[in-house]
């Protein structure tokens, strides 16, 4: 009969699997969402932020600035 696998053992195995797979994960998904697509021919090239992310950051900063100004928070 096989040995029972505990939750901690499964968690450690999953963690090790995710560490060995840099192409999978939440961090990779977030970087792909915020940055331009990677160049498949030059893996070391820097990736500029995507236009919609920069626009979102600017609009968010503007809304926060207006909110702070008109409510005398800062």
């Amino acid at each position: 009969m096989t040995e029972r696998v505990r939750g901690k053992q499964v968690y450690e195995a999953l963690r090790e699997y995710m560490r060995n797979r840099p192409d999978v994960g939440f961090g990779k998904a977030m970087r792909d969402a915020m940055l331009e697509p990677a160049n498949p021919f030059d893996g070391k090239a820097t990736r500029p932020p995507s236009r919609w992310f920069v626009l979102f950051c600017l609009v968010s900063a503007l809304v926060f600035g207006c909110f702070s100004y008109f409510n005398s928070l800062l």
Side-chain angles (χ1 to χ4, degrees):
M1 193 161 164
T2 62
E3 181 182 336
R4 294 189 91 166
V5 180
R6 302 277 182 210
K8 190 171 186 175
Q9 293 170 333
V10 172
Y11 177 73
E12 289 297 323
L14 181 61
R15 229 171 114 192
E16 189 63 34
Y17 175 75
M18 292 301 282
R19 283 186 180 166
N20 291 335
R21 298 281 313 266
D23 58 326
V24 178
F26 181 73
K28 170 87 168 140
M30 291 303 295
R31 282 190 301 272
D32 287 344
M34 289 187 267
L35 302 174
E36 292 291 334
N39 184 354
F41 302 109
D42 187 11
K44 302 289 184 190
T46 59
R47 297 167 58 185
S50 61
R51 290 180 183 173
W52 71 267
F53 180 70
V54 172
L55 179 65
F56 175 75
C57 290
L58 291 174
V59 169
S60 298
L62 179 67
V63 167
F64 178 73
C66 289
F67 182 77
S68 298
Y69 178 76
F70 289 114
N71 289 310
S72 302
L73 293 178
L74 296 177

